[in-house]
Amino acid sequence: MKYRKLWIGFILVIVISFAVLGYYGVEIYREAPPVPENVTTTEGTLLFTGQDVKDGQNVWQSMGGQEIGSIWGHGAYVAPDWSADWLHREAVFILNSWSEQDFNKPFDQLDEERKAMLTARLQKQIRANNYDKTTGELTVSPVRAEAITEISKHYTSLFTDDPAYEELRDNYAIPANTIKDAERMRKLNAFFFWTSWACVTNRPGSEITYTNNWPADDLVGNKPTSSLILWTGFSVIILLAGIGLLAWYYAANKDDEIDRANLPKKDPLLGLQPTPSMKATLKYFWVVTLLIVIQVILGATTAHYGVEGTAMYGFPLADILPYSLTRTYHVQMGIFWIATSWLATGLFIAPAVSGHEPKYQKLGVDVLFFCLLIIVAGSMIGQWYGVMQKLGFETNFWFGHQGYEYVDLGRFWQIFLFAGLFIWLFLMVRGIWPAFQTQKESRHLLGMFLISSAAIALFYGAGLMWGRQTNLAIAEYWRWWVVHLWVEGFFEVFATVVIAFLFVRMGLLRVGIATATVLFSTIIFLFGGIIGTFHHLYFSGTPTAVLALGATFSALEVVPLVLIGFEAYHNLTISRATKWIKAYKWPIYCFIAVAFWNLVGAGIFGFVINPPIALYYMQGLNTTPVHGHTALFGVYGMLGIGLMLFALKGLASKNVWKDGTIKFAFWSINIGLALMVLISVLPIGLAQTWASVKYGFWYARSAEFMQEPGMDTLRWLRVIGDTIFAVGVIALGWFVIGLKTGSSVKGEIDLADDDYPEVEKREPVLQD
């Protein structure tokens, strides 16, 4: 009964938040930018059909989609944002055409008065919504049709093999003949036009475009709306109020200091005898270590493409592994290894908590492992064939590259992974269920453990909610269910519960305190986090109400992160509580690093870009990967490493680790990550923000700006942080291997001796 209010609060947050998310999801379906049946000129000439636009979306997906440039600000950062780039080129073409026709000189040579006159004329024409809902026809003026033709020629030259575009292709890291078929190229141009049309066309009965006037471009009248400014101010007020309330709560309910007198005198895990299924999780961690190393290599390759375009120190690597693929693999590997580490930790924890090994549990763990290997290898092979344009539209959708960042793998592999997660959930439930009968005091904590496990399996299913030719605005809505709710949401809840279980199992935390803390933390996190999903959708063809909700609740997401220092201090205190706990120093230090990066990466760098007015200018700039790297690797990556180290320690609890290599790895990874961001990615992002505010988003992403000598120098500076980071990751891999070979081991604890002296032994202690 003492947890009743917390459970009621948890249920209310879930029900109300998803009701809001669902209601406005219906609105997004209803108000998404329409795909016209036909695009024609006012003179009746057919330019392309709606099917051309839909097929063009599939062409864009097959070449890498959001991994090669971006659309509506979502995607990669080396090539331009295609919607913003097309829009600005279209505006410049029309203005120059009118200027030559009326004044016999280019637009740039006109006086300010004539420029203003032509600009006003352009905005009146280009912002008018000429889509007829009853007929499905979109009509454009003859001059706009000429612009479409001219820009199509530009993109055709860029994506094929026009020698005149070789330097520009290199600047964009796009190999020659990225699109190998003329008909595919025509359809890709139709899709690019549609995405730019949504950016500049006012919604029916409104003076605001489908993308809420994004991207910033004075020529077409895209400027911040009053709603952007209003809700930015409101989000700051909400943030300050939330911090104040949570600070009051912490002060009023401050936990007592750790009672060292009641802590276990000896390590409770020393006598742990790993079950067969627990031992079977070891191979998961070998794969995790391998994937981390491969991900870092691919990340360095992707970053290098930013300075050398289509080569690796002169070697034409892009011919076989272009930027869009290295970035795809880099992002996807991060998701794979982090998820694998967390899933394996869950499989390790379940029998340890319940004290019961279900029949055939090891077989299930082994089957799941090989399923995950097939998914990783199969999806990567399919993506290579897709990007190399060797698959048709439908085959690419099912087995190749879907083009959506973080969910790039083909639909077949998505379904396979979805099924694998339910296999994992089944193994978790049968492993933990006996504890409900034997551990009555822990039932509430066990309940949260199972709920978070079920959420991980269920919410990946959001990635199956769009089809091959679903409207991009609707596909983005569901994509962020996966990225924000699955990756950033319920995995974090799961991790919170797992860490609580670890500390309870080790006698460092009472069950009552752990349960209340987990429930309260989950309520606070999900209260802002679920509806806060909308902050990713400000400019993705969504109604204004989404902007208001996203701004408000994304500010609340930051509230618990501001006071995350309490968690860091608590974990640091635990790491120093007794002599035996020092054996778990580095897993606990990883949790301290998680708290630090939660504050800096998710909190500070996240809130810098989240308010509507900030994101209006910053979305799609290098300020986004600043948040992405420090939050994804700093928080979830370090948490995955910490959980892996805890499990490895539990698999050979008597083992005494050598500190040298793991200490070097820990500090190198964290220092390298900080330097990577602070001396390279962040300065580039801030410079781009200045360019976006002063000249427009198109300029901030242009080759003209990005290839300036100063920007090139900043990109090269990233080598410093990347190198330190990579060396740390290699050291981590070496340490994990050393746990098997014995090189990371300096002895074992003698259980027969009450003082637990070390017995020098140099033999492998981890057994498969």
Side-chain angles (χ1 to χ4, degrees), residues 211-533:
T211 57
N212 287 313
N213 284 5
W214 186 94
D217 193 333
D218 287 342
L219 283 184
V220 297
N222 270 6
K223 296 179 180 179
T225 65
S226 57
S227 298
L228 282 171
I229 298 168
L230 171 66
W231 289 108
T232 297
F234 188 71
S235 69
V236 173
I237 294 170
I238 287 291
L239 172 64
L240 295 175
I243 292 172
L245 287 172
L246 197 58
W248 173 83
Y249 177 86
Y250 266 90
N253 297 276
K254 186 176 182 297
D255 290 335
D256 294 333
E257 295 293 327
I258 294 176
D259 185 2
R260 287 177 168 79
N262 292 323
L263 290 179
K265 303 301 181 184
K266 301 171 184 178
D267 184 353
L269 299 183
L270 273 178
L272 177 68
Q273 295 297 321
T275 66
S277 71
M278 293 169 69
K279 292 179 181 178
T281 63
L282 179 59
K283 54 182 167 288
Y284 284 75
F285 297 117
W286 299 135
V287 171
V288 165
T289 306
L290 177 63
L291 292 182
I292 295 174
V293 174
I294 295 174
Q295 189 210 5
V296 170
I297 293 171
L298 289 166
T301 305
T302 303
H304 186 80
Y305 274 139
V307 295
E308 205 175 344
T310 56
M312 174 63 73
Y313 296 105
F315 178 76
L317 183 63
D319 291 346
I320 55 173
L321 201 65
Y323 171 89
S324 58
L325 265 176
T326 62
R327 191 177 190 273
T328 297
Y329 293 160
H330 174 64
V331 172
Q332 191 168 287
M333 287 261 185
I335 299 295
F336 278 152
W337 77 255
I338 292 170
T340 301
S341 178
W342 294 17
L343 298 179
T345 302
L347 294 172
F348 173 83
I349 288 291
V353 169
S354 67
H356 173 70
E357 173 83 350
K359 193 175 183 180
Y360 302 123
Q361 183 80 349
K362 180 183 182 298
L363 176 62
V365 172
D366 290 339
V367 169
L368 179 60
F369 174 76
F370 288 109
C371 287
L372 292 176
L373 285 185
I374 293 170
I375 291 168
V376 172
S379 63
M380 291 176 69
I381 293 169
Q383 285 160 346
W384 186 89
Y385 274 93
V387 169
M388 292 303 178
Q389 301 293 288
K390 297 179 182 292
L391 302 176
F393 293 154
E394 290 192 18
T395 307
N396 179 72
F397 174 76
W398 281 97
F399 298 99
H401 201 304
Q402 282 202 57
Y404 295 123
E405 194 176 23
Y406 294 104
V407 280
D408 300 282
L409 63 170
R411 177 55 53 87
F412 172 80
W413 306 112
Q414 277 187 302
I415 294 172
F416 198 167
L417 180 56
F418 191 45
L421 289 172
F422 273 92
I423 294 173
W424 172 78
L425 177 61
F426 172 72
L427 295 173
M428 293 291 291
V429 171
R430 71 196 302 262
I432 206 76
W433 193 256
F436 276 95
Q437 279 74 44
T438 60
Q439 301 178 28
K440 293 184 178 181
E441 188 182 6
S442 301
R443 282 180 179 175
H444 293 275
L445 194 57
L446 290 167
M448 279 300 298
F449 188 69
L450 292 181
I451 289 171
S452 61
S453 299
I456 287 174
L458 287 168
F459 278 89
Y460 186 73
L464 307 177
M465 297 302 291
W466 65 79
R468 180 169 64 88
Q469 296 190 331
T470 297
N471 187 299
L472 183 61
I474 295 168
E476 279 292 274
Y477 168 73
W478 288 114
R479 182 175 78 91
W480 285 108
W481 273 59
V482 178
V483 179
H484 187 87
L485 290 176
W486 187 66
V487 177
E488 298 181 30
F490 288 102
F491 258 117
E492 179 146 333
V493 174
F494 174 75
T496 302
V497 178
V498 168
I499 292 173
F501 263 119
L502 289 172
F503 285 162
V504 168
R505 181 69 177 80
M506 296 169 69
L508 301 171
L509 199 60
R510 294 197 303 274
V511 172
I513 293 176
T515 304
T517 301
V518 165
L519 279 167
F520 179 75
S521 299
T522 301
I523 291 169
I524 294 297
F525 181 77
L526 294 182
F527 181 73
I530 295 174
I531 301 177
T533 304

Side-chain angles (χ1 to χ4, degrees), residues 258 260 263 569-582 585 588-589 592:
I258 294 176
R260 287 177 168 79
L263 290 179
Y569 177 75
H570 178 73
N571 288 338
L572 184 62
T573 303
I574 285 177
S575 72
R576 298 170 177 174
T578 66
K579 183 178 180 180
W580 64 263
I581 195 63
K582 292 179 181 178
K585 173 181 177 180
I588 294 175
Y589 267 39
I592 295 170

